[in-house]
Amino acid sequence: MKKRLPILLALLATLSIPAETIKDIRIVNQLGESYASSSVSAFTSFSVGEQVTDRSTILSAIATDVNRMRESGRFSYVNARMDVEADGVVLVYTVATKHKLRRIEIDGAKKMRNRKVRKKSELEIGQFADDAAFAQAAAKIKEAYRDFWYPDAQIKWESKVNDALGTVDVVFHIKEGHKLAIKKIVFKGDNKITDKRLSRRILSALTPSFLKKEDIDVVPAKTLRKVMTQKQKKWYSFITGTGKYKPENVDLDVFAIKSFYMNEGFLDVSVSDPVLDDSKPKKSRLIFTIVEGQRYRVGKISVDGMKSFPGRELRRGIRLRTGDIAAYRDAEAGSESIRAFYGNRGYINTRVRPVFDADSEKGTVDIRYEITEGSIGYIDEVNIMGNERTKDKVIRRELVIYPGDKYNRSRVKTSENRLRNLNYFEVVTATPQPTGKGDQYDLNIQVKEKPTGQFTAGVGFSSIDSLVGYVELSQGNFDFKSWPPIGAGQKFKIRLQLGSQRNDVDISFVEPWFLDRKLSLGIDLFHREARYFSDAYDQKNNGMRLSLGKPLSRFTRGTLAYSLEQFDVFNVQPSASPAIQREEGKRLKSGLAFIWSRDTRDRFFIPTRGNKTIVSPYFAGGPLGAETDIFGAKIRSAQYWPLFGGTVLNLRGQIESVDFYGDSEFVPIFDRLFLGGPNTLRGFEYRDVGPKDVNGEPIGGRSSVFATLEYTWPIWSKVRGAAFYDWGVVNTDFVDFDPSLYSDDWGIGIRLDLPGFPLHLDYAWPITYDEKWQDGRGRFNFQIGHAF
């Protein structure tokens, strides 16, 4: 009875509550006026006279109705309420209905065709539209005019609604204004800016980082324009769009100019809002007035407010010294150094404020850092927030600070950076939050995810592959155990390439934390068929590769890789030499390689400094079985040096040797060494440098050395020029690096660093070449991707 009593009481209570009756359903506009709309009735859950068990059911149902109406796209405003009356309830839906767009008219467009204006509006006949949609369309048209060099275009619109038909017509009235381009950015006022060519001494902003900077006597206008978002019109502006007037960026440019001066010690600088001289619209001038004021040097540096540490320890991290140029950036860096000092010792919420005491007569400024020490804190819990797809463990394993640890600012920043480097998140922030339990703080890791999957397809052309079509599907945050397969931090890619000279299928999978350790497992399956290796034969190979990789230090990594491949040399021409004829047929290869790499480059793509070196000994056959018994080693290295004006010098090279052993009688042609083509000697055909058979067909060697020296310079954004020299030799025997039969070339090129489509264009001329088989003519090379 004790168990049944609560159920019985609940049943009696339910029976005692009378059902609610839907007395009326009213549809009104935002003014409260009655509004007849059959489109609303299609979304309502109840009908007049219907009885409902309780009011909470009604409220839940009409909330669902409102969400469905909003998602339908037919209403610009939707709300609902329940009014209780003596004999029932009244449901009131307040709506503003969108109408179907019947007509789009353009008035005043002369420089841009009406059809193009309609397209830029992104409105379509028959869609549901309202005032918000028309306002958004007007903004898109205005933006289109700005891209068309008409920054003053004014766009107004008016609409006419036909409630009876449920339609709306819209007219866009356009005043295009003048076509305007910024031909010159001018700096006036009390300043030392000049457009004249300057000596190296005064070009301190362009001085290489490894040389000592001189004082700025004069500021090159070219240098000042580089920090601005607004650019001058150039001859190539029809491609880049430079020179378009962007009034919305005025405040950014004023701030950029002021920051530039303050970082050179002009702490009193003032920069006015620019004046646009458009008396000649297509050759307009944008005029900034700058008053530089006194240039200061650092006087005394002091630290106040410290209680837990001596001042001399804090001053060690401050880069500024007495007599230095008083760069605001360096003064702020001193504040950051002090905050980091405290943060790395467990202090949370330490505040540092630099105070400047300037003496304009002496031209010095004393800098005093006022410190308000925080308190030592310990991490209670680490909370992960904002990850809807990515699993918590994928985020936690990248952290280097844990519950129970003393707060450490460097470790918190390192954790943030490691999460950003995953490329899964748009935003990553780590914030300590008091728990109310003394010195305990929670560390809240807030992330905002971004798309990690990608589907690409296209057609390409290269100097090796000729015409190639490709389809690629990739997911950088893959999870093979769930559906949809997202969130475990794995990487998956499938790529199909079909072309006139090659057919490839590649499937790859990487688990970066195999067995929950910092050990990456890679699995690759592939089919590759190539017809560009030689005119005498074609080659294809099917296989797989397993790899285990582990970081060895901050910059180094070790990888052990096993591969099993079947090579097939087919379509061998009857006129081919015996050296190639013997290669015909299938051959199985089972190989093991160790890869040691060290990478200190500042960027993965288009690096400007640092080194990347890879050492890879390998062998196949023997205890691993199969039909190919070879061993060898390859060393590759690339060094980058930044020079003046954004230029970069790159020296890279490669040395490799391979030989056979055991029952093998030769090194198969698919393992021999070749040079030539866009990745090595660019003045020669692909694989055309090295030993040849009696017909002049390349058959490769067993030792090779290659080196290139390349100098690149910026032309404009994402475009660099290049000049280079290539040198290399391939010899027949193992560990034979005799340079006497070397080949070399020189050339020039262009580097286009386009997102997802990096393109290298080179033209090279041979210098030393085999006159028996090579004609010595220059060659054009281009490739998609980044060189080693």
Side-chain angles (χ1 to χ4, degrees):
M1 289 295 293
K2 290 183 179 179
K3 293 182 179 179
R4 294 180 180 178
L5 184 58
I7 298 175
L8 180 60
L9 290 175
L11 180 60
L12 291 172
T14 302
L15 294 174
S16 65
I17 299 174
E20 294 287 359
T21 301
I22 307 298
K23 180 182 177 182
D24 192 14
I25 298 176
R26 298 171 187 166
I27 302 170
V28 299
N29 60 22
Q30 290 174 285
L31 299 176
E33 300 168 339
S34 180
Y35 187 81
S37 176
S38 58
S39 59
V40 176
S41 301
F43 291 95
T44 56
S45 299
F46 303 111
S47 57
V48 176
E50 184 175 347
Q51 291 191 336
V52 187
T53 55
D54 56 68
R55 294 176 185 174
S56 62
T57 300
I58 298 174
L59 292 174
S60 177
I62 64 175
T64 301
D65 294 345
V66 169
N67 287 334
R68 290 168 56 204
M69 293 166 70
R70 287 173 178 166
E71 292 172 358
S72 72
R74 296 189 174 194
F75 305 93
S76 54
Y77 177 83
V78 184
N79 208 341
R81 72 176 190 271
M82 180 181 69
D83 294 342
V84 180
E85 298 184 0
D87 51 351
V89 297
V90 177
L91 306 184
V92 182
Y93 292 85
T94 304
V95 301
T97 306
K98 294 181 181 180
H99 294 76
K100 280 192 174 183
L101 185 57
R102 185 180 66 170
R103 182 180 294 115
I104 303 172
E105 294 185 13
I106 309 297
D107 174 45
K110 298 177 181 178
K111 302 298 182 181
M112 191 182 295
R113 292 177 297 178
N114 288 359
R115 181 179 178 181
K116 187 172 183 178
V117 174
R118 290 192 187 95
K119 183 177 180 180
K120 294 296 182 180
S121 75
E122 297 184 12
L123 294 174
E124 296 182 4
I125 300 296
Q127 76 173 80
F128 289 100
D130 59 2
D131 289 352
F134 298 144
Q136 189 176 27
K140 291 176 181 177
I141 295 172
K142 185 175 180 67
E143 184 63 28
Y145 266 98
R146 283 191 175 185
D147 287 340
F148 201 52
W149 301 83
Y150 287 84
D152 297 326
Q154 298 180 13
I155 317 296
K156 296 182 179 180
W157 57 269
E158 58 179 337
S159 61
K160 185 177 181 181
V161 174
N162 188 323
D163 288 324
L165 296 176
T167 61
V168 60
D169 299 339
V170 63
V171 180
F172 290 99
H173 299 285
I174 300 173
K175 291 184 178 180
E176 296 176 323
H178 296 290
K179 188 171 185 177
L180 191 147
I182 303 300
K183 185 65 177 177
K184 191 76 172 178
I185 298 175
V186 180
F187 304 102
K188 292 186 175 181
D190 177 18
N191 59 65
K192 300 174 182 177
I193 301 171
T194 180
D195 271 306
K196 296 179 180 179
R197 178 168 288 185
L198 305 173
S199 67
R200 193 186 74 170
R201 178 174 176 270
I202 58 181
L203 285 174
S204 65
L206 302 179
T207 303
S209 58
F210 53 82
L211 297 178
K212 182 178 179 182
K213 280 194 174 184
E214 301 286 352
D215 293 348
I216 293 182
D217 296 329
V218 190
V219 178
K222 180 180 179 181
T223 300
L224 205 54
R225 294 187 187 107
K226 283 184 177 180
V227 305
M228 299 172 58
T229 57
Q230 179 68 61
K231 302 298 181 183
Q232 298 180 147
K233 187 177 181 181
K234 302 292 184 180
W235 65 267
Y236 49 78
S237 291
F238 71 97
I239 299 174
T240 63
T242 55
K244 293 177 182 176
Y245 179 46
K246 300 178 179 179
E248 69 275 13
N249 290 343
V250 164
D251 290 341
L252 290 175
D253 286 340
V254 170
F255 177 78
I257 295 170
K258 190 170 183 179
S259 297
F260 175 86
Y261 268 97
M262 293 185 71
N263 289 331
E264 295 296 342
F266 296 90
L267 302 181
D268 300 328
V269 65
S270 65
V271 183
S272 68
D273 288 340
V275 175
L276 178 65
D277 178 7
D278 59 354
S279 55
K280 296 179 180 179
K282 295 183 180 180
K283 297 183 179 181
S284 296
R285 301 193 311 159
L286 196 61
I287 304 169
F288 290 84
T289 300
I290 301 173
V291 179
E292 291 175 347
Q294 175 70 46
R295 191 182 197 197
Y296 292 96
R297 291 184 176 272
V298 177
K300 296 179 181 178
I301 301 174
S302 59
V303 182
D304 291 338
M306 64 283 187
K307 300 176 182 178
S308 305
F309 304 99
R312 65 177 181 275
E313 289 192 38
L314 301 179
R315 283 194 290 269
R316 288 174 185 170
I318 301 173
R319 292 189 298 175
L320 285 173
R321 297 290 182 268
T322 298
D324 288 352
I325 295 298
Y328 185 80
R329 172 183 54 235
D330 293 340
E332 284 296 316
S335 298
E336 177 62 21
S337 172
I338 295 172
R339 281 191 288 269
F341 181 90
Y342 275 93
N344 293 342
R345 288 156 180 78
Y347 285 78
I348 294 181
N349 298 327
T350 296
R351 295 191 297 274
V352 183
R353 185 171 70 97
V355 178
F356 299 87
D357 184 10
D359 186 334
S360 57
E361 292 184 1
K362 295 182 179 180
T364 62
V365 58
D366 296 338
I367 303 175
R368 183 177 74 258
Y369 291 96
E370 294 184 350
I371 302 172
T372 303
E373 291 184 344
S375 58
I376 293 179
Y378 293 86
I379 304 301
D380 185 25
E381 293 183 1
V382 177
N383 302 314
I384 310 297
M385 298 176 289
N387 54 317
E388 298 177 0
R389 299 185 299 271
T390 305
K391 294 180 178 179
D392 272 18
K393 77 170 188 177
V394 174
I395 297 175
R396 291 185 185 278
R397 68 194 186 191
E398 297 295 332
L399 305 180
V400 294
I401 189 165
Y402 311 101
D405 288 353
K406 182 188 287 188
Y407 178 79
N408 186 294
R409 192 169 183 270
S410 289
R411 290 187 177 184
V412 171
K413 294 297 181 185
T414 299
S415 298
E416 286 183 341
N417 290 334
R418 290 182 62 164
L419 291 176
R420 292 190 188 101
N421 290 339
L422 290 175
N423 204 28
Y424 301 163
F425 311 109
E426 292 181 8
V427 177
V428 178
T429 58
T431 308
Q433 181 180 7
T435 62
K437 297 184 292 185
D439 58 0
Q440 300 294 306
Y441 289 79
D442 287 344
L443 185 64
N444 295 330
I445 309 291
Q446 180 73 47
V447 300
K448 181 180 179 182
E449 293 177 316
K450 65 180 182 180
T452 53
Q454 189 174 20
F455 176 80
T456 58
V459 176
F461 195 86
S462 80
S463 52
I464 296 177
D465 304 328
S466 295
L467 185 65
V468 176
Y470 68 91
V471 177
E472 181 177 303
L473 176 66
S474 63
Q475 173 55 255
N477 189 10
F478 189 69
D479 184 1
F480 75 92
K481 293 182 179 180
S482 67
W483 188 264
I486 302 174
Q490 301 154 359
K491 301 183 186 304
F492 175 80
K493 181 176 72 174
I494 180 169
R495 182 180 178 90
L496 172 66
Q497 291 189 120
L498 299 173
S500 58
Q501 295 295 316
R502 68 185 302 172
N503 295 321
D504 296 345
V505 179
D506 289 274
I507 302 173
S508 64
F509 170 83
V510 178
E511 169 54 83
W513 284 77
F514 183 53
L515 302 177
D516 288 327
R517 298 181 180 181
K518 193 62 176 175
L519 184 68
S520 66
L521 170 67
I523 303 174
D524 296 272
L525 304 174
F526 50 84
H527 165 82
R528 295 167 187 155
E529 183 175 340
R531 292 177 289 279
Y532 55 81
F533 287 154
S534 171
D535 293 333
Y537 66 91
D538 295 334
Q539 178 181 308
K540 64 181 176 183
N541 57 308
N542 299 293
M544 54 85 68
R545 182 177 185 268
L546 296 175
S547 63
L548 285 174
K550 181 178 176 59
L552 303 177
S553 68
R554 180 181 177 186
F555 299 114
T556 61
R557 183 177 185 84
T559 302
L560 186 65
Y562 170 77
S563 61
L564 181 64
E565 300 177 72
Q566 184 178 67
F567 292 85
D568 185 7
V569 176
F570 64 104
N571 286 343
V572 178
Q573 298 299 312
S575 58
S577 68
I580 292 179
Q581 292 281 357
R582 71 177 178 177
E583 300 282 354
E584 186 173 15
K586 297 180 180 180
R587 180 186 287 262
L588 191 64
K589 176 183 174 184
S590 176
L592 194 65
F594 175 75
I595 302 99
W596 177 90
S597 63
R598 185 174 188 271
D599 193 347
T600 63
R601 296 175 300 171
D602 57 346
R603 288 197 295 267
F604 185 72
F605 297 125
I606 313 295
T608 62
R609 67 174 68 243
N611 175 272
K612 182 178 181 181
T613 298
I614 297 176
V615 179
S616 178
Y618 57 88
F619 80 96
L624 299 178
E627 304 164 318
T628 305
D629 299 328
I630 64 167
F631 68 95
K634 179 193 295 187
I635 301 174
R636 292 188 293 169
S637 187
Q639 179 69 44
Y640 298 86
W641 295 278
L643 302 180
F644 55 89
T647 62
V648 177
L649 184 66
N650 169 219
L651 174 64
R652 64 182 186 270
Q654 174 179 303
I655 182 171
E656 183 175 5
S657 193
V658 61
D659 202 6
F660 57 90
Y661 71 96
D663 295 333
S664 290
E665 298 178 356
F666 56 87
V667 175
I669 197 167
F670 49 77
D671 281 314
R672 284 184 223 143
L673 309 178
F674 301 83
L675 291 176
N679 295 312
T680 55
L681 291 169
R682 285 164 277 191
F684 299 83
E685 291 186 12
Y686 182 62
R687 305 202 338 168
D688 197 37
V689 175
K692 295 179 172 59
D693 63 13
V694 294
N695 298 325
E697 192 68 28
I699 56 174
R702 288 185 285 164
S703 298
S704 73
V705 181
F706 160 72
T708 185
L709 185 67
E710 183 168 287
Y711 177 72
T712 65
W713 61 91
I715 297 178
W716 59 78
S717 178
K718 305 294 184 181
V719 181
R720 299 179 68 85
F724 56 85
Y725 170 76
D726 302 326
W727 182 96
V729 62
V730 181
N731 291 326
T732 302
D733 296 327
F734 178 59
V735 194
D736 177 9
F737 302 115
D738 181 1
S740 59
L741 297 179
Y742 76 89
S743 299
D744 60 349
D745 62 65
W746 73 278
I748 56 176
I750 294 289
R751 308 289 178 261
L752 303 175
D753 187 23
L754 307 177
F757 196 77
L759 188 62
H760 287 198
L761 306 174
D762 293 314
Y763 197 91
W765 293 267
I767 302 173
T768 307
Y769 56 92
D770 185 348
E771 297 183 1
K772 181 178 179 180
W773 302 111
Q774 296 161 345
D775 55 22
R777 291 182 297 182
R779 296 193 60 82
F780 179 65
N781 291 275
F782 59 97
Q783 64 173 337
I784 299 172
H786 294 282
F788 170 82

